[in-house]
Amino acid sequence: MTFLSRIMLLKSQAHFSADVHRAGASMNGTFKGTGKRKTEMARKRVGLMIAGFAVAYAIIGGRLVQYGYAHPETVSSILPADRLMASRPDIVDRNGEVLATDIRTVSLFAEPNKIVDADEAVEKLATVLTDLDIKGTYKKLSNPQSHFQWLRRQLTPKQQSQILALGIPGIGFRPEKRRFYPGGTTASHIVGYVNIDNRGMSGMEKYIDNQGMADLRALGMTSDTPLEPVKLSIDLRVQNILHDVVSEAITKFEALGAGGVVLDVHTGEVLAMVSMPDFDPNNPAASAQEGWLNRMSNGTFEMGSTFKSFTLAMGLDEGKVSLNSTVDARYPIRIGGFTIKDFHGKNRVLSVPEIFQYSSNIGTAKIADMVGTDAHKEFLKRLGLTTRMKTELPEVAMPSQPREWKKINSITISFGHGVSTTPLQTAVAGVALVNGGKLLPPTFLPRTQEEADQVAEQVIQPSTSKDMRFLFEWNGVKGSGRNARVDGFNVGGKTGTADKVVNGRYVGDKNFNAFLSAFPIDNPRYVVLTVIDEPKTDKGNGAALAGTSAAPMVAEIIRRSAAILGVEPKFGEDGSALLVSY
């Protein structure tokens, strides 16, 4: 019964109401019964209508669920639109220079069920996207059961306008954000990179995600609102200098790889770090896999004679020797079928400074023997050289050492053979040798002196640290560190030239050269470590020795960056560089 019919009925009932009353009690009862039945019928009709709507909505809901399961491609295989537009925080250096930022872009998708002619669509798209996978794209577009397919992520504005002009039905654009790295390769191993979905894959980008960014994104709790920048400890100016120097060394020495790091000895901040080969984080896939390896923190190497610094520090700290002690280095050491001899032996008794200056394997081994194997192992662990380094950077390798330390192991490890560690760990341990004996976990984030004091661990005596500064200076003036000297800055350090192991054997034509240094050595502020992996030693360019390959790199880094780092040179009245007086 329609709404209008019900109104007409009510009017008729009103006209006959008087007659009904006159008809008597029986008639009145009959009317009342008829009214009740009509009311019940109206209620039933309303109930049926409600039930009908409920069934209809249930069917629609069920079909939507069925549609979602039957056609999973109707939903982005990557992320919903709101998450695709979610912001990542900018990454900046200690001075606010941008290292990584988001830029807006669009991605191309298709709804194959709306494509009229797949052949024509592919043909038109290929005129703009010249590298389009013709066969793969046609396969995507020719599936009428598919409702969503990505065709190309992160288009340029020009590509978008050109595709729009083609007027292809079933083709659309989805807003996204793309990560942009203004410096390209300059700090690639520190900053890292993100994948196509703007998720951190390495470096500090991955660190940011590990701090909760990825979890928030998964829960849909991120937004397009700009986030507070993440400031790093890196100084982009020093990073650029280090990058140039390492790049020049690779070219000059035709090396397999090279790297360097600059550390603040009072805070443990990493001011710059470079590993080469590297990659462009704007297009990481274009680099060979070799370029992704961060040799400084994720590669382990036998560090050669730089380890003699730690052995002598151990002997001094344990009280087994002093700077005035002497050690008989006249005869080779024979142990376990091996002969330990000096590269340029003096064949005489050497003082402790001379052992350091001449890089005597014999003298160093005898000092390690004085300390003992167990104490030697514990000392290296205390300096963090045999355990996994703790820092923000995710790419950190675990050092290797003998399963069981025997006397022969202790002797060879004393001069840098038998333990492999990362160059960054070596530099961090070097910081403790010159800063008064405090081991500071390296950080890629800004750290104040007060914060550094809270995490610092006293690993050697201040007096030992003072003695090591003297030895570094001694070697810088009289030993293998001469090529690292820069007038006015009192650079001291220790070289390391290590034969590499190939198929279980040491080979003489493949070296890993390193130079561990600090400046100004009378009151150190920075440690600089450089490494060169497999320089070509037959070119007559000094690549065979760390003193003529890695040490000059340190000199160039300090010469160009000291002023930026706030270190003033010291000269005498005659204009000559002042030497340290101990």
Side-chain angles (χ1 to χ4, degrees):
M1 180 181 292
T2 65
F3 180 77
L4 183 59
S5 300
R6 295 185 63 186
I7 293 296
M8 294 295 290
L9 177 61
L10 289 173
K11 286 184 177 180
S12 299
Q13 289 173 349
H15 285 306
F16 288 101
S17 61
D19 296 335
V20 173
H21 282 292
R22 286 192 295 269
S26 61
M27 188 67 179
N28 186 51
T30 302
F31 178 79
K32 287 182 178 179
T34 302
K36 289 181 179 179
R37 285 197 297 272
K38 291 183 180 296
T39 301
E40 289 177 359
M41 290 177 65
R43 288 177 177 172
K44 288 180 179 179
R45 291 190 186 98
V46 173
L48 287 172
M49 291 174 66
I50 293 173
F53 277 117
V55 171
Y57 280 119
I59 292 172
I60 292 171
R63 289 294 292 170
L64 286 173
V65 173
Q66 180 184 6
Y67 185 73
Y69 279 106
H71 305 279
E73 66 274 15
T74 60
V75 181
S76 166
S77 60
I78 312 299
L79 286 172
D82 60 336
R83 297 188 210 175
L84 287 169
M85 287 293 289
S87 295
R88 290 184 69 85
D90 285 355
I91 299 178
V92 299
D93 84 332
R94 66 189 302 113
N95 301 309
E97 295 294 330
V98 176
L99 300 173
T101 189
D102 282 346
I103 58 174
R104 290 180 178 271
T105 184
V106 295
S107 289
L108 180 67
F109 72 90
E111 297 175 278
N113 61 315
K114 296 180 181 180
I115 296 292
V116 178
D117 188 334
D119 280 319
E120 181 183 14
V122 173
E123 185 177 334
K124 287 183 176 181
L125 288 172
T127 62
V128 177
L129 307 174
T130 55
D131 59 343
L132 186 70
D133 178 4
I134 303 294
K135 187 179 292 186
T137 305
Y138 176 79
K139 185 177 180 181
K140 290 180 179 180
L141 299 185
S142 59
N143 180 9
Q145 302 301 317
S146 176
H147 291 251
F148 185 95
Q149 291 288 346
W150 283 120
L151 298 183
R152 179 64 60 88
R153 305 290 294 276
Q154 300 181 347
L155 298 176
T156 66
K158 182 178 180 180
Q159 288 173 326
Q160 182 188 13
S161 63
Q162 289 176 333
I163 292 173
L164 277 171
L166 297 175
I168 307 172
I171 297 294
F173 302 92
R174 196 167 190 177
E176 290 191 278
K177 286 195 173 180
R178 179 179 179 179
R179 202 64 163 163
F180 176 60
Y181 303 90
T185 61
T186 304
S188 56
H189 284 109
I190 297 174
V191 178
Y193 69 97
V194 299
N195 66 6
I196 194 71
D197 301 316
N198 237 16
R199 293 182 176 180
M201 300 302 292
S202 72
M204 296 304 289
E205 291 280 28
K206 186 174 183 180
Y207 167 78
I208 291 170
D209 279 10
N210 290 344
Q211 299 311 296
M213 181 79 178
D215 294 337
L216 290 176
R217 186 189 298 269
L219 293 171
M221 296 177 67
T222 51
S223 69
D224 191 34
T225 305
L227 303 173
E228 188 72 20
V230 174
K231 181 179 286 190
L232 304 187
S233 60
I234 302 303
D235 188 316
L236 188 56
R237 300 167 299 177
V238 181
Q239 182 73 22
N240 267 306
I241 292 169
L242 181 58
H243 190 272
D244 286 348
V245 172
V246 172
S247 178
E248 290 166 3
I250 284 218
T251 301
K252 179 179 180 180
F253 299 114
E254 300 179 37
L256 177 67
V261 63
V262 180
L263 285 165
D264 187 311
V265 304
H266 299 300
T267 64
E269 293 171 293
V270 179
L271 277 298
M273 188 179 76
V274 170
S275 171
M276 286 190 175
D278 53 15
F279 63 94
D280 185 349
N282 293 301
N283 188 16
S287 301
Q289 190 171 357
E290 179 68 16
W292 295 343
L293 172 64
N294 184 350
R295 278 177 165 77
M296 298 304 294
S297 67
N298 206 27
T300 58
F301 306 92
E302 291 189 352
M303 297 299 295
S305 293
T306 58
F307 254 52
K308 291 173 182 172
S309 307
F310 310 121
T311 306
L312 265 66
M314 175 180 66
L316 292 166
D317 205 60
E318 295 289 330
K320 301 300 181 181
V321 294
S322 69
L323 292 180
N324 297 319
S325 300
T326 58
V327 176
D328 188 353
R330 290 177 296 171
Y331 309 108
I333 299 173
R334 291 180 174 82
I335 181 172
F338 296 94
T339 301
I340 310 300
K341 57 185 179 180
D342 288 342
F343 186 63
H344 290 299
K346 299 302 175 182
N347 303 314
R348 62 178 175 82
V349 174
L350 299 176
S351 67
V352 167
E354 287 178 326
I355 290 172
F356 203 65
Q357 174 186 347
Y358 299 126
S359 199
S360 170
N361 294 337
I362 298 171
T364 306
K366 288 191 173 183
I367 291 175
D369 192 37
M370 295 177 195
V371 174
T373 302
D374 292 339
H376 189 184
K377 181 179 180 181
E378 190 278 330
F379 185 80
L380 293 186
K381 182 179 179 180
R382 196 193 317 164
L383 288 180
L385 289 164
T386 57
T387 55
R388 186 182 177 89
M389 180 174 56
K390 294 181 180 180
T391 187
E392 299 86 8
L393 210 64
E395 294 78 31
V396 174
M398 177 69 184
S400 64
Q401 59 178 309
R403 291 184 179 180
E404 180 183 356
W405 279 50
K406 299 178 180 179
K407 185 175 181 178
I408 181 62
N409 301 119
S410 180
I411 286 177
T412 59
I413 289 169
S414 72
F415 50 81
H417 290 286
V419 163
S420 294
T421 191
T422 69
L424 180 56
Q425 281 178 289
T426 305
V428 170
V431 166
L433 295 187
V434 300
N435 73 354
K438 296 178 181 179
L439 184 67
L440 290 164
T443 180
F444 292 85
L445 300 174
R447 181 190 282 164
T448 65
Q449 182 67 65
E450 292 73 21
E451 292 169 337
D453 291 340
Q454 292 177 3
V455 298
E457 181 183 355
Q458 193 76 37
V459 291
I460 61 174
Q461 301 173 58
S463 59
T464 302
S465 178
K466 182 180 179 181
D467 289 344
M468 289 308 302
R469 291 196 296 271
F470 170 80
L471 291 177
F472 272 28
E473 167 72 3
W474 179 280
N475 192 55
V477 174
K478 299 184 177 183
S480 59
R482 290 190 297 270
N483 289 328
R485 298 287 289 187
V486 180
D487 287 346
F489 292 104
N490 294 327
V491 182
K494 182 70 184 77
T495 52
T497 304
D499 293 339
K500 294 186 70 173
V501 177
V502 178
N503 297 324
R505 297 176 62 88
Y506 288 102
V507 293
D509 60 344
K510 294 183 185 297
N511 293 349
F512 186 83
N513 298 345
F515 189 77
L516 174 63
S517 68
F519 81 102
I521 199 62
D522 53 317
N523 184 21
R525 290 181 57 185
Y526 299 98
V527 157
V528 182
L529 172 73
T530 56
V531 298
I532 304 179
D533 189 5
E534 291 191 27
K536 291 292 186 296
T537 58
D538 58 349
K539 302 295 182 180
N541 54 10
L545 298 175
T548 49
S549 57
M553 291 172 64
V554 169
E556 185 66 12
I557 293 165
I558 294 173
R559 185 178 294 111
R560 293 172 59 182
S561 66
I564 296 172
L565 293 170
V567 180
E568 297 181 1
K570 296 180 181 179
F571 295 100
E573 294 180 0
D574 60 352
S576 62
L578 290 175
L579 297 181
V580 181
S581 177
Y582 285 89

